[in-house]
Amino acid sequence: MNSTFSWEELLEQAAEEVRRGRYEQAMEKLAIADESGKPRDFRYYWVLGKVFQGRGENLEALRHFRTSLQMQPDQEGLLREMTDLYDELRIPDKALETARVLLTKRPEDRDLRYRALLWASRTGNLEYYKNALSLLESSHVYSSDEKAILQEIGNLQASKKNSEATDRCRKFLPYFPRNEDLHRICILAYKGKDQGSPEKSLIERALIFRENPIFHHILSMEYLDQKKYVDSCASARRSLLLALQSDRVPEKDYLIPIRRIYQQNGSVIDQLAVDILEEVIFKKRKLDPEEWESLLKQTRFNWEILAFALSDWKNRENSLRAETAENWRERYLSLRSAEREKDLSRFAGPYYLDRSFELYLENASSEK
């Protein structure tokens, strides 16, 4: 089909069709433009990507966006679109990658740096996480107003002006990312809006305070309420290890989401292991290595029993400590390797790309 319109005009028409949400018509315009024989340029691939995005085919959209960016790297608008799309698709490593490029062009963009901080925590890029925290918390225009800002937002929330309180929280979290009260008010205000789960705010708080087990436990319970059992288990296991690695004895409630996933999977022996641990926690029992060994055998080297045993064993002065711990790990992996490969919680929750914190105890030493 020949067209009286030029290639440039057809491309503009396709872009307009996209803006109007007429994606099939946009594709028709692009097809006619192709018949001219003129090579596709970066604008063509941007429009093509927007068509696929409009259709809900986001991965295909990203493929064309990347092509456009390769042809013309200086496209801040497209970089921002890709960053948001990666975030929407829960691909935090790519979201961080594009955000970092944008921040080299716009280092003053505090909101984007705050989001980059969250993605860095998700992926375990601790160097960038710490650097971003430092930059956000360095001297700024609101440095001396923290108390007054918190009071203002608290008053809005107390007056049930929850939408306004949430908006103000969102504005000031990039200035005071580690203000626990600000996170708390934001979560309460969001709940007061009756707009569903405060999951996003809970995830943000856990990512900022990535070494605090209680915030990961609260997140795991939220996932449990939503019946997202795999995500709940992933967060619960992280909170459990965080507590154990900081030499805290976790509350038995930490085991509730883990019990639920075992019930879901029909793992009777692992439910028994949770029962045993609840009793150990409730009675504040102190077990010696032989008793831990017995429980490990009884529960076929259950993951949670192993976590408790290793945590207790590391604090003992004994020349056989490292050898015993390694032996327990090897036996765990030998007995549980097939189950471990099928355990979807390894690929769930906010930290599924984070390799800085070893969740499954394969290594003798792990960094938080």
Side-chain angles (χ1 to χ4, degrees):
M1 176 179 175
N2 294 323
S3 172
T4 59
F5 295 105
S6 69
W7 189 90
E8 291 283 346
E9 289 171 328
L10 287 165
L11 196 61
E12 289 177 6
Q13 291 173 15
E16 178 59 29
E17 296 288 12
V18 164
R19 282 189 285 271
R20 296 168 63 186
R22 293 158 56 94
Y23 303 113
E24 294 308 316
Q25 289 86 340
M27 283 294 283
E28 290 174 7
K29 302 292 185 185
L30 291 177
I32 297 170
D34 277 336
E35 292 178 3
S36 72
K38 183 174 179 178
R40 298 175 175 182
D41 69 0
F42 71 95
R43 296 169 298 168
Y44 182 102
Y45 284 103
W46 175 80
V47 175
L48 186 58
K50 294 297 288 183
V51 169
F52 281 102
Q53 185 179 9
R55 291 173 168 178
E57 300 177 57
N58 290 330
L59 291 176
E60 189 67 14
L62 281 167
R63 186 170 73 85
H64 295 299
F65 286 160
R66 284 194 293 267
T67 301
S68 178
L69 202 61
Q70 288 167 359
M71 299 175 79
Q72 174 52 269
D74 189 19
Q75 296 187 74
E76 288 188 27
L78 178 54
L79 273 171
R80 192 169 293 277
E81 286 185 73
M82 292 174 67
T83 301
D84 293 340
L85 193 50
Y86 280 129
D87 186 37
E88 182 183 332
L89 290 170
R90 299 187 179 185
I91 310 177
D93 52 340
K94 293 298 183 181
L96 177 60
E97 182 181 307
T98 51
R100 292 181 70 171
V101 175
L102 269 173
L103 285 166
T104 62
K105 303 174 183 293
R106 294 187 175 274
E108 75 285 354
D109 191 334
R110 186 172 286 269
D111 290 335
L112 182 59
R113 193 173 300 280
Y114 177 74
R115 295 172 71 198
L117 164 71
L118 300 176
W119 295 320
S121 183
R122 278 179 178 266
T123 57
N125 188 334
L126 300 189
E127 181 180 358
Y128 191 88
Y129 162 81
K130 292 173 183 176
N131 183 57
L133 261 182
S134 177
L135 288 172
L136 290 172
E137 293 179 332
S138 59
S139 180
H140 52 74
V141 293
Y142 299 111
S143 294
S144 60
D145 301 325
E146 184 172 5
K147 186 175 180 180
I149 289 168
L150 192 64
Q151 182 67 48
E152 175 202 352
I153 297 173
N155 289 339
L156 287 171
Q157 191 266 325
S159 302
K160 300 189 184 303
K161 297 179 180 179
N162 294 302
S163 292
E164 294 176 54
T166 302
D167 291 342
R168 298 293 278 173
C169 283
R170 288 287 165 213
K171 175 180 178 179
F172 288 109
L173 275 172
Y175 291 92
F176 307 106
R178 285 192 288 190
N179 186 306
E180 292 189 28
D181 288 330
L182 194 56
H183 282 277
R184 177 181 57 81
I185 293 172
C186 190
I187 291 167
L188 290 174
Y190 193 91
K191 286 182 177 179
K193 291 168 67 175
D194 294 326
Q195 291 187 356
S197 163
E199 177 185 343
K200 179 181 177 182
S201 294
L202 292 172
I203 290 174
E204 283 187 24
R205 184 172 64 177
L207 292 171
I208 296 291
F209 302 99
R210 55 178 284 122
E211 296 186 10
N212 192 322
I214 187 62
F215 295 144
H216 294 81
H217 169 61
I218 293 170
L219 176 60
S220 74
M221 296 301 288
E222 175 62 28
Y223 280 136
L224 190 62
D225 286 344
Q226 296 181 39
K227 295 182 169 42
K228 296 181 179 179
Y229 300 123
V230 178
D231 293 280
S232 179
C233 183
S235 292
R237 283 175 167 160
R238 191 177 188 94
S239 65
L240 181 64
L241 281 191
L242 282 169
L244 292 173
Q245 290 193 353
S246 59
D247 295 323
R248 306 183 200 180
V249 177
E251 299 291 334
K252 66 177 184 177
D253 287 353
Y254 278 49
L255 298 170
I256 291 174
I258 298 172
R259 175 193 293 280
R260 187 63 185 82
I261 199 70
Y262 285 145
Q263 290 174 341
Q264 188 87 358
N265 296 338
S267 305
V268 176
I269 195 167
D270 290 313
Q271 292 179 58
L272 170 64
V274 173
D275 290 339
I276 292 170
L277 281 179
E278 285 182 345
E279 182 183 1
V280 169
I281 293 170
F282 180 73
K283 295 184 177 179
K284 299 181 180 179
R285 291 176 57 192
K286 298 293 183 181
L287 305 183
D288 58 38
E290 289 74 21
E291 289 176 301
W292 282 122
E293 173 94 23
S294 175
L295 289 181
L296 284 167
K297 291 178 179 177
Q298 181 182 346
T299 59
R300 195 171 161 269
F301 276 76
N302 165 266
W303 186 94
E304 286 73 32
I305 297 282
L306 177 59
F308 270 78
L310 290 174
S311 175
D312 183 57
W313 188 231
K314 74 178 180 182
N315 296 319
R316 298 178 183 272
E317 294 296 330
N318 192 306
S319 59
L320 296 178
R321 179 178 58 188
E323 181 180 340
T324 300
E326 187 59 32
N327 176 265
W328 284 347
R329 280 191 191 83
E330 289 177 358
R331 290 159 73 185
Y332 161 74
L333 290 171
S334 173
L335 285 169
R336 296 278 187 157
S337 58
E339 295 168 39
R340 176 182 168 277
E341 290 303 315
K342 297 177 182 178
D343 185 354
L344 295 180
S345 70
R346 297 171 61 223
F347 312 104
Y351 298 97
Y352 70 94
L353 291 178
D354 183 4
R355 297 295 177 264
S356 69
F357 183 94
E358 185 46 72
L359 189 61
Y360 286 82
L361 307 175
E362 288 97 335
N363 300 319
S365 61
S366 304
E367 296 294 330
K368 291 180 283 186

